[in-house]
Amino acid sequence: MSTTVSGKSGTWRNWAGNVTARPAREVTPASVDELRAAVLRAAEDGLRVKAVGTGHSFTAAAATDGVLISPRLLTGIRAIDRAAGTVTVEAGTPLRRLNVALAREGLSLANMGDIMEQTVSGATSTGTHGTGRDSASIAAQITGLELVTADGSLLICSERENPEVFAAARIGIGALGVVTALTFAVEPVFLLTAREEPMPLDRVLAEFDRLWAENEHFEFYWFPHTGNTNTKRNNRSAGPARPVGRLNGWFQDEFLSNGVFQAVNWVGRAAPATVPSIARISSRALSARTYTDIPYKVFTSPRRVRFVEMEYAVPREALVDTLREIKAMIDRSPLRVSFPVEVRTAPADDIALSTASGRDSAYIAIHMFRGTPYQAYFTAAERILTAHQGRPHWGKVHTRDAEYLAGVYPRFAEFTALRDRLDPDRRFGNDYLRRVLGT
């Protein structure tokens, strides 16, 4: 078993740089047995345990002063069952590697988020999602999982085996144990046609129900201080494949969406008064385009500009009113917001702590450029989002506690009771879990 120190000072930082931790030690197990031994040794030493992926969460869900477990050696596909339509993958596998490996095998996930830098266990444990009328989050595509619990046991979980753990652990926020492997439902690789198109915000909101109903995957980005959006519609296609051209892809996805966007955010951070003008230019920078490719090349995009993010799920029918209220709040405030607001949807699922648990949901994600004060914006938006029974994304900034969350999650008590059974001593606890799940 290898043990490493996080950085020169022994400090772990997340991707956005807004969360730091100083673990007593970091362990990088090369097998499930080594991971189980690390959990048992931590118990002997009286230390708490947290597993951490690539640090793309904006919350302190993975922070610990105890043992930090890095799963980076637990990677790769264990098994492909073409008859069952499943693939079993080690927990530390980055989504990027999984997507590429599946494509090589002629397979694909049905839906995915908009980046693929996270590990499969980190992404699913916090409820990472894309957008979909009928297909749900990455965790909703899990058909089985392995979980190392506080006493070192290895639980095999599915709808048939340990079903009550399966119902919760697909989105477990690291509270139930350490996930070591996941089995996903997959299907033969298919083509998606993406249609990206600028559209006035008023039109998007007026036609939202139709745009949602007519497209398998619909999302849009609204630019605060403007009435402009960029919309994206992804639908299955019979082909032929027509990928984004190399020059066009570089110009829009790298030069404009990353390089220029980084530069204008530097300007906006230094001179906030310029932000509305920059927003008007940015919202018109990307032109309409249509392309057809395999799923992960359509669903995901490079995101190199660092930011801090808050995201809430509201009932889908509340989306239009909620977004109008957020727009009105920004318009009448002195806030200067240089990042677009992202809106996506998901159908109801049956996972206890999924943000879409038991209800069709719409997601509103707000961002601020890293290094820019974000608290005033996030606080004002959160007040609106919670007034609509919003559920915060487990991996993104929010201030909610167990009392609030118990009121918006019908199965909250089911999850906490399972946690009491599997981890009575809170071996996998930390300050974040104490706040969101209670003691």
Side-chain angles (χ1 to χ4, degrees):
M1 186 186 303
S2 63
T3 303
T4 61
V5 176
S6 308
K8 294 178 181 177
S9 64
T11 300
W12 173 84
R13 287 180 177 83
N14 68 339
W15 176 83
N18 68 312
V19 178
T20 60
R22 289 182 62 85
R25 62 175 177 261
E26 181 181 336
V27 178
T28 309
S31 68
V32 174
D33 285 342
E34 287 188 4
L35 194 156
R36 295 169 71 182
V39 171
L40 290 173
R41 184 183 164 205
E44 291 170 3
D45 295 342
L47 296 173
R48 295 186 294 184
V49 177
K50 296 306 296 179
V52 64
T54 55
H56 268 73
S57 288
F58 301 90
T59 65
T64 187
D65 57 3
V67 178
L68 194 69
I69 291 182
S70 168
R72 65 178 177 268
L73 298 182
L74 300 175
T75 63
I77 291 176
R78 278 193 195 175
I80 295 173
D81 186 335
R82 293 182 185 274
T86 62
V87 59
T88 300
V89 61
E90 302 277 355
T93 307
L95 282 167
R96 179 181 300 279
R97 285 183 56 189
L98 174 62
N99 285 327
V100 170
L102 288 177
R104 198 180 301 124
E105 296 288 341
L107 299 169
S108 177
L109 294 169
N111 199 357
M112 56 194 80
D114 56 10
I115 64 168
M116 49 181 178
E117 313 313 313
Q118 315 100 308
T119 61
V120 292
S121 56
T124 56
S125 292
T126 54
T128 296
H129 62 90
T131 190
R133 182 190 60 205
D134 309 305
S135 56
S137 70
I138 303 176
Q141 298 170 68
I142 296 172
T143 63
L145 60 89
E146 281 182 7
L147 185 73
V148 172
T149 56
D151 64 0
S153 300
L154 182 67
L155 290 186
I156 310 299
C157 307
S158 67
E159 289 183 345
R160 297 178 305 280
E161 200 168 357
N162 295 305
E164 76 290 353
V165 181
F166 179 70
R170 283 173 286 171
I171 299 179
I173 339 173
L176 305 177
V178 180
V179 174
T180 55
L182 294 161
T183 299
F184 292 100
V186 292
E187 56 183 291
V189 72
F190 53 93
L191 292 172
L192 282 173
T193 292
R195 180 179 167 192
E196 298 175 1
E197 180 184 8
M199 194 179 292
L201 176 65
D202 286 343
R203 180 184 164 195
V204 173
L205 296 183
E207 300 180 12
F208 176 74
D209 288 340
R210 180 183 64 80
L211 289 163
W212 168 82
E214 290 181 354
N215 295 282
E216 293 174 70
H217 310 274
F218 175 69
E219 63 187 303
F220 67 93
Y221 297 83
W222 164 59
F223 293 80
H225 313 296
T226 81
N228 305 324
T229 77
N230 279 328
T231 65
K232 186 175 182 182
R233 286 168 266 193
N234 299 331
N235 291 286
R236 296 199 183 209
S237 168
R242 288 194 175 89
V244 174
R246 183 169 296 180
L247 181 60
N248 179 271
W250 173 84
F251 182 73
Q252 292 222 36
D253 300 326
E254 287 293 347
F255 179 70
L256 289 179
S257 297
N258 285 292
V260 172
F261 192 55
Q262 174 91 42
V264 299
N265 272 280
W266 280 333
V267 173
R269 186 170 67 188
T274 64
V275 166
S277 298
I278 289 172
R280 286 189 288 273
I281 296 167
S282 297
S283 68
R284 294 188 174 96
L286 298 176
S287 56
R289 63 178 180 175
T290 301
Y291 53 95
T292 302
D293 213 329
I294 61 175
Y296 83 86
K297 294 184 178 181
V298 173
F299 284 128
T300 67
S301 306
R303 294 275 193 274
R304 307 195 203 287
V305 182
R306 301 209 180 198
F307 53 84
V308 179
E309 180 178 0
M310 169 184 282
E311 183 179 51
Y312 269 74
V314 298
R316 198 186 71 239
E317 63 272 16
L319 179 275
V320 172
D321 287 344
T322 307
L323 196 61
R324 286 192 194 280
E325 290 174 34
I326 290 175
K327 182 179 187 301
M329 177 272 292
I330 293 173
D331 287 348
R332 67 173 178 260
S333 78
L335 293 169
R336 295 294 176 258
V337 181
S338 61
F339 255 83
V341 174
E342 182 180 21
V343 177
R344 295 174 287 175
T345 67
D349 63 41
D350 64 350
I351 305 170
L353 290 190
S354 167
T355 44
S357 183
R359 74 183 189 194
D360 292 346
S361 299
Y363 295 94
I364 298 175
I366 65 174
H367 316 72
M368 283 293 261
F369 185 48
R370 187 170 74 167
T372 304
Y374 62 84
Q375 287 85 351
Y377 176 34
F378 284 17
T379 298
E382 191 172 39
R383 194 173 297 124
I384 295 167
L385 292 159
T386 54
H388 290 278
Q389 297 293 298
R391 298 169 177 170
H393 189 300
W394 298 109
K396 297 177 185 179
V397 174
H398 68 92
T399 66
R400 298 300 89 189
D401 61 14
E403 182 181 6
Y404 173 87
L405 295 164
V408 294
Y409 282 95
R411 299 172 66 181
F412 190 82
E414 173 188 329
F415 186 95
T416 55
L418 180 65
R419 183 190 187 207
D420 289 342
R421 175 162 72 84
L422 293 181
D423 188 17
D425 299 325
R426 303 294 187 258
R427 183 66 48 212
F428 302 110
N430 64 7
D431 292 344
Y432 177 74
L433 292 180
R434 186 179 304 111
R435 170 162 68 88
V436 300
L437 298 178
T439 56

